[in-house]
Amino acid sequence: MYRVASASEYLVITGLGITDINITKKAWVLPGQSWTKFDVSPVNYTFEVQAMSAEKLPFLLPAVFTVGPRVDDEPSLLKYAKLISPHDKFSNHVQDLVQGIIEGETRVLAASMTMEEIFKGTKEFKQEVFEKVQLELNQFGLLIYNANVKQLVDVQGHEYFSYLGQKTQMEAANQAKIDVADARMKGEIGAKLRLGQTLQNAAKIDAETRIISTQREGEGKKEEIKVKTEVKVYENHREAEVAEANAVLAKKKAGWAKEGQVAEVEAEKAVALRDAELQKEVERMNALSMTEKLKAEFLSKASVEYETKVQEANWELYKKQKEAEAFLYEKEKEAEAQKATAEADLYRRKQIIDGDLYAKMKEAEGLKALAEAQGTYLRTLLEASGGNYGALRDYLMISGGMFQELAKINGEAIRGLQPKISIWTNGGSQEVNAEGGGSALKEVAGIYKILPPLFKTVHEQTGMMPPTWMGTITNDSSQ
C-alpha cells in the first residue's frame, strides 16, 4: 500500500525490515509494517509563569511560546516522532510538558536575579530564558520558533510594579516642577539683568553725550569770546591804553574760566547723581531677583518634602498592611496546628480506649475460660467423691490451705492479749470442806468464793464496777 503525507506531515513506519523507525514523506507500506502520520506545524502555548526574584518578591510573567519539531534535523525529528508524536500536540500532556520546562527554567533564572535586574534587562532576561528552555526542549526534538515575553505583572497582594510606577511618576512630576521653577527663576533673573544692563548703558551714553555737548558748547563760546576780544582789542587798540585793554582781557578770562569750571562741576555732579540713581536701581533689581530665587528654592524644597512625606506615609501604610497579613497568617497557622494537635490527641485517646476495651474483653474471656475449667474440675471431683458435697468441701479447704489460714488468723487474733490469771485462796473454805463435805452449804460457799475474783476480773477487763449493794472492790485482794 502506497502512502503519501501532506505538506505539514510526515510518515512514521516501523515493523518488518526496519530496525528502528523510518520517517519519510511517502513510501510503500508492506505487510507486517505499521505506519502513522504526525503533524510538524508549530503550536502556540500561552500561559502565565509565577516566579519569585532574589528578594523573594513574586510576580507574573505572561509569555507566548511558539514550539514545534525541528524539521531540518533528522535526529531531532526522530526524537519528536518517538516521544511526542504518539500524543496529540494540543493535549494536556504535551502542553504540561512544555509549560513545566518553561516554568522551571524561568523560576530558576528569576531566583538568581533581583527585581530591578529583571525589570531593566527584560531583553537579556528573555534571551536567557529562551536559551535555557531551548536546551531542555532539544532532548524532545522541539524547537522554539518564537518567544514573546510580555510585560511583568504584579501578583495580587504584592503590588511592586504598581508602587514602582507611582514612584517614577512622582519623581518625574517633582523633577518637572523643579525644572519649571528653575526655568522661571532663570527667565525672571535674566529679564531683570537685561533690563538693568539696558538702563545702565542708556544712562552711560546719555551722560557721555551731555558731557561732550557741554565741552563743545564751552569751546564754541570760548572761540567766540576770543574772536570778539581780538576784534575789540584791534578796534580799541588805538582808543585804549594797553594796560586797560590787558585788565579788561584778564577780567574776561577770569569770567570765562569761572564759567568753564562751573560747567565742568555741574556736569560731574550730574553724572555722579545719575550713576547713584542707576546703582540704586540695580541693587533694587538684584534684591528682587534674589527674593524670587529664594521663593523658588523654598517652594521647590517644600514640594519635594511634601511628596517625600506622602511616599513615606504610603510606605508605612504598606508595611502595616503586610504586618497585619503576616499576623493573620500566623494565627491561622496556629489554629491549624492546634486543630491538628487536638485531632492527634483525640486519636491517641481513642486508641488507648480501644486498647483498654480490648484488654478488658481478653481478661473477661480469660476469666470465662478459667471459670469453665474450674467448673469442669469441680464436677470431676464431685463424681470422684461419689456425690458427697461434704467430702468435696473438706478436700477443697485442705487443698486450698483453708485450715492453715484459719489457724494462722486465730493465732494472730489472740497474739498480744496477755491474759491475767488471779489466784484466790480462802482458809475458811478448807474448813468447810473438811467439816461438811456433802452439806448443802458447800455450793453456796463456793458461789460466794468466786464472786470477788469475778468482780475483780470484770473490773480490770471492762472497767465496770459491781452494784454497791453487792459489795465494793478495794485494792486489798483478800476482801
Side-chain angles (χ1 to χ4, degrees), residues 307-320:
E307 298 298 337
T308 303
K309 294 295 184 183
V310 170
Q311 293 296 326
E312 290 178 353
N314 291 334
W315 172 244
E316 290 295 329
L317 177 60
Y318 176 74
K319 287 201 301 183
K320 290 181 179 179

Side-chain angles (χ1 to χ4, degrees), residues 225 229 246-259:
I225 293 171
T229 301
N246 291 333
V248 172
L249 181 59
K251 185 178 179 179
K252 294 295 183 182
K253 286 182 178 180
W256 296 334
K258 180 180 178 180
E259 291 179 357

Side-chain angles (χ1 to χ4, degrees), residues 112-280:
S112 63
M113 299 175 67
T114 63
M115 188 66 77
E116 194 71 18
E117 293 173 349
I118 296 173
F119 187 73
K120 289 185 177 180
T122 305
K123 184 177 180 181
E124 292 77 8
F125 180 72
K126 171 186 172 182
Q127 185 62 32
E128 290 191 24
V129 171
F130 182 90
E131 292 175 356
K132 292 183 178 297
V133 172
Q134 183 59 61
L135 287 176
E136 294 295 328
L137 292 179
N138 286 337
Q139 58 185 338
F140 298 100
L142 294 173
L143 174 66
I144 300 176
Y145 288 91
N146 182 37
N148 182 16
V149 178
K150 300 180 182 179
Q151 189 66 32
L152 302 179
V153 180
D154 285 323
V155 178
Q156 186 175 3
H158 300 273
E159 292 77 12
Y160 174 79
F161 297 110
S162 176
Y163 288 126
L164 187 62
Q166 293 178 10
K167 177 185 176 184
T168 305
Q169 291 178 4
M170 297 306 295
E171 289 178 352
N174 293 334
Q175 187 62 39
K177 291 179 182 178
I178 294 172
D179 294 341
V180 170
D182 289 341
R184 185 182 295 111
M185 178 183 66
K186 291 179 181 178
E188 292 178 356
I189 293 173
K192 298 297 182 181
L193 289 176
R194 294 292 184 273
L195 180 60
Q197 291 175 359
T198 301
L199 293 175
Q200 289 177 6
N201 293 332
K204 183 177 181 182
I205 294 172
D206 189 22
E208 290 177 353
T209 302
R210 289 185 180 182
I211 292 171
I212 294 171
S213 177
T214 302
Q215 290 177 353
R216 293 291 185 268
E217 288 180 358
E219 290 176 357
K221 289 179 180 180
K222 186 177 180 181
E223 291 296 329
E224 183 180 358
I225 293 171
K226 183 178 180 181
V227 172
K228 288 181 179 181
T229 301
E230 290 177 355
V231 173
K232 187 71 174 175
V233 171
Y234 180 75
E235 290 177 350
N236 297 326
H237 183 69
R238 297 298 180 185
E239 299 177 354
E241 295 179 353
V242 176
E244 185 180 0
N246 291 333
V248 172
L249 181 59
K251 185 178 179 179
K252 294 295 183 182
K253 286 182 178 180
W256 296 334
K258 180 180 178 180
E259 291 179 357
Q261 290 177 358
V262 170
E264 290 179 358
V265 170
E266 289 179 350
E268 290 178 357
K269 295 298 182 182
V271 170
L273 180 61
R274 186 59 182 169
D275 183 62
E277 291 177 353
L278 292 174
Q279 184 65 29
K280 180 179 179 182

Side-chain angles (χ1 to χ4, degrees), residues 57-77:
L57 293 174
F59 62 91
L60 293 177
L61 181 67
V64 179
F65 281 79
T66 303
V67 181
R70 190 189 295 271
V71 296
D72 56 351
D73 184 30
E74 185 176 353
S76 298
L77 201 59

Side-chain angles (χ1 to χ4, degrees), residues 447-467:
I447 293 173
Y448 277 97
K449 288 179 181 179
I450 65 174
L451 286 177
L454 178 62
F455 290 156
K456 184 70 173 177
T457 302
V458 171
H459 175 66
E460 289 177 354
Q461 297 294 331
T462 64
M464 296 176 63
M465 297 293 292

